[in-house]
Amino acid sequence: MEKIDFKKKLAFLYGPKKGKMETVKVPAMKFVMIDGRGNPNTSEDFKEAMNILYPISFGLKFMMKQRFEKDYVVMPPEGLWWADDMDDFLKKEKESWLWTIMIMQPDFIEECHFEEAAETAVKKGKITAEQLQKTRFETFEEGESVQTMYIGTFDDETSTIDSMHRMIAENGWKLSGKHHEIYLSDFRRTAPEKLKTIIRQPFAR
């Protein structure tokens, strides 16, 4: 049974080069998502969200493998970031940040599969029924975006983000959609200065 690695299959989305700003057209993709608010470094809601997404995502993986003979690597977590007042976001007033944490799912997974995997996670005690209520399965499409591979601490991303926004403005485009990050490193085990993060910003012509 072939084991699909969607990071490789979708390398144009999940394998940008370090230091190079690339334009991509991001198609509609399926995600398990959780919304929240607050500083990701201190928010219990953020930690909880990560602990909910993984049991459901691995439950889906095992369901697909055992029932449909489709095996794949579970994708890394991704985050959409914004604030009611975007000045707070740009100034790193993290307590007022809003976020959606999510994990991409293969296109052969349907809502019914998500519901079954989520309910199984509750029955096995991996998540609670209350936590399940915070979770959703959704198709998300960003369209045209600029992205790059960033390596370093999260707090030092500013210059890279500024360069990305400047590139968009210099081309006569406008920011559209939310700041998007894809976390390729396990930040529990990776030194902060070695973290690999894809930074993506949708734009409108």
Side-chain angles (χ1 to χ4, degrees):
M1 185 188 310
E2 178 189 8
K3 190 172 188 177
I4 305 169
D5 186 342
F6 286 98
K7 294 193 300 299
K8 295 179 179 178
K9 187 173 182 179
L10 301 172
F12 75 105
L13 296 176
Y14 290 92
K17 295 179 181 178
K18 178 187 174 184
K20 182 179 179 182
M21 299 290 173
E22 302 176 353
T23 58
V24 293
K25 188 168 185 179
V26 186
M29 295 190 291
K30 298 176 180 179
F31 290 87
V32 177
M33 297 177 155
I34 299 175
D35 299 324
R37 174 190 289 270
N39 186 336
N41 297 314
T42 58
S43 169
E44 289 301 320
D45 287 345
F46 186 83
K47 295 177 184 176
E48 180 186 55
M50 298 292 284
N51 290 334
I52 297 169
L53 289 176
Y54 278 112
I56 295 174
S57 295
F58 275 99
L60 284 166
K61 166 192 166 65
F62 295 135
M63 180 193 301
M64 292 297 113
K65 183 177 180 179
Q66 294 171 3
R67 195 177 302 173
F68 302 101
E69 296 187 347
K70 294 180 178 180
D71 194 14
Y72 59 92
V73 178
V74 171
M75 292 294 280
E78 308 186 26
L80 305 177
W81 300 90
W82 73 104
D84 291 329
D85 182 346
M86 284 305 292
D87 284 342
D88 289 343
F89 179 74
L90 296 173
K91 293 176 183 176
K92 296 186 178 180
E93 299 291 342
K94 297 181 181 180
E95 298 304 327
S96 64
W97 282 6
L98 299 164
W99 42 261
T100 298
I101 298 301
M102 56 196 194
I103 293 180
M104 194 277 276
Q105 307 297 325
D107 60 4
F108 47 75
I109 289 179
E110 303 294 344
E111 178 84 27
C112 60
H113 301 138
F114 160 74
E115 292 175 354
E116 182 179 343
E119 290 169 1
T120 298
V122 172
K123 290 177 182 177
K124 291 184 175 181
K126 294 182 178 180
I127 65 173
T128 66
E130 182 181 2
Q131 288 173 328
L132 175 56
Q133 295 301 313
K134 301 177 182 180
T135 313
R136 68 184 187 279
F137 183 74
E138 185 174 300
T139 297
F140 176 62
E141 183 174 5
E142 283 178 295
E144 288 189 295
S145 303
V146 176
Q147 67 177 27
T148 191
M149 176 72 75
Y150 167 79
I151 299 178
T153 68
F154 297 133
D155 286 337
D156 291 334
E157 290 179 353
T158 304
S159 61
T160 300
I161 296 170
D162 288 345
S163 295
M164 183 173 289
H165 290 184
R166 188 163 54 251
M167 172 188 168
I168 291 171
E170 288 172 351
N171 279 279
W173 308 331
K174 294 182 179 180
L175 303 183
S176 71
K178 296 164 182 172
H179 176 81
H180 188 168
E181 297 186 349
I182 301 169
Y183 306 108
L184 300 182
S185 302
D186 184 340
F187 32 75
R188 298 169 300 174
R189 299 183 174 90
T190 306
E193 66 275 10
K194 295 182 179 180
L195 291 169
K196 292 184 178 181
T197 306
I198 298 171
I199 298 176
R200 181 184 295 161
Q201 176 60 55
F203 66 86
R205 293 180 185 272

